[in-house]
Amino acid sequence: MPELPEVDGVVEALKPVVTGKEISDVQVSETLQKSFALGKESIIKNSSPDAFAQALLGMTIEKIERRAKYIFFTMQKNTAPYVFVNHLGMTGAWFTVNDLADITEEKYRKHAHISITFSDGSKMIYSDIRRFGECRLLEKISDYPPLLQMAPEPFADEACEYFIAKTKLAKYQNKPIKAVIMDGHVISGCGNIYATESLFRIGMHPNRQCQRISDKNKRALFAEIVAVLQESLALGGSTISDYRNINGEAGGMQDRLQMYGKKHCPTCQQATKQVTIAGRTSTYCGHCQH
DNA sequence: CCTCAAGACCGGCTGC
DNA sequence: TGCAGCCGGTCTTGA
């Protein structure tokens, strides 16, 4: 599941390959067309597959950026700007290829849903096995309010103070700290993997109530989250289960993970424990995390 | 108005 | 071999 570092890797890989290219053809999978016919918004949100494809036609990709776990493609059509917003969900992936057959892994080839062809003949293909990802075309970011509710980028100067202020809101007081740090309105880009690692690294129990944590410890936690995210960014992200970077290459962070998906604590060797927090499996060490 | 649970969106994988 | 159930990022909806 791609979190901030993985999404960043995708963006950096796409940038040199597709920036400045003009879209000459867009194909949407039969699967998505059928879902739409059944009244579902599978991957393509707020638009029919046909209208989505039609709108992209003739657009030029001006700029590609990551914001939290979203990818923003700034597009230009004639003189009008648009933003193509994409979230990879659990299993979304982009491939820059000349042909669908160039996607070597069958499950990604089989679940290719949006194929964008550029005027030079190259393609950018969006594949998503479980279809939890999303694609939406906006005239401007503010047309989709949730994008304005996101916490600042974790590396921004104000991000820590924003985090501290948010954690003081009444609705977070009784929540487990892990639920709070995985909430994108509090911190951007920290999902299950990096929340699990950060909490382990500072020895904090994932179920610790937010109101029982001092400002000092909140700052230490925030700093650890930033450090873990930066370490992962530098290593090209974690390659776990369904995430692949754009060239199908593996990142290096998975080898540094100490608690996520582990059966034993690397510090004390005791068996790790699991609890469900905010609907997600949380692994921790009952001996080392308090 | 706020908060929270449930619903929506899924198929690979595990385990019986 | 078959199949039920698990898993999860985020927004939306209903209570």
Side-chain angles (χ1 to χ4, degrees), chain A residues 67 118 156 170 199 223 226 273 286:
Chain A
R67 173 72 178 93
F118 298 109
L199 289 167
V226 169
K273 296 184 176 182

Side-chain angles (χ1 to χ4, degrees), chain A residues 1 3 163 172 174-184 186-187 190-200 204-210 213 221 225 259-260 274-284 289:
Chain A
M1 55 208 94
E3 298 181 24
F163 167 68
Y172 293 119
N174 296 320
K175 295 216 164 150
I177 186 61
K178 183 155 177 285
V180 177
I181 62 177
M182 284 193 299
D183 185 329
V186 181
I187 298 179
C190 179
N192 201 10
I193 297 173
Y194 300 114
T196 296
E197 289 305 301
S198 315
L199 289 167
F200 173 70
M204 189 180 286
H205 196 293
N207 252 333
R208 182 94 166 264
Q209 256 191 17
C210 188
I213 302 170
L221 172 59
I225 291 168
M259 182 51 59
Y260 182 84
Q274 293 205 329
V275 280
T276 298
I277 298 174
R280 271 147 287 169
T281 304
S282 302
T283 307
Y284 68 98
Q289 292 175 257

Side-chain angles (χ1 to χ4, degrees), chain A residues 127-163:
Chain A
S127 185
D128 194 336
I129 298 161
R130 287 162 77 175
R131 289 189 256 160
F132 264 39
E134 68 174 67
C135 290
R136 90 179 57 231
L137 207 45
L138 304 171
E139 285 189 25
K140 52 189 187 306
I141 294 297
S142 57
D143 287 346
Y144 185 55
L147 297 175
L148 302 175
Q149 312 298 321
M150 293 188 287
E153 284 297 302
F155 312 123
D157 292 341
E158 71 276 18
C160 185
E161 289 315 311
Y162 188 93
F163 167 68

Side-chain angles (χ1 to χ4, degrees), chain A residues 194-245:
Chain A
Y194 300 114
T196 296
E197 289 305 301
S198 315
L199 289 167
F200 173 70
R201 287 188 183 196
I202 64 160
M204 189 180 286
H205 196 293
N207 252 333
R208 182 94 166 264
Q209 256 191 17
C210 188
Q211 64 183 342
R212 292 182 47 245
I213 302 170
S214 67
D215 278 12
K216 186 184 169 193
N217 284 337
K218 283 178 186 171
R219 287 179 207 282
L221 172 59
F222 187 86
E224 197 62 57
I225 291 168
V226 169
V228 170
L229 291 173
Q230 275 173 334
E231 182 180 344
S232 182
L233 269 176
L235 290 168
S238 302
T239 301
I240 298 182
S241 66
D242 289 316
Y243 165 73
R244 294 283 137 35
N245 76 17

Side-chain angles (χ1 to χ4, degrees), chain A residues 200 264-271 285-288:
Chain A
F200 173 70
H264 296 277
C265 172
T267 304
C268 73
Q269 317 306 327
Q270 284 192 14
C285 174
H287 179 255
C288 298

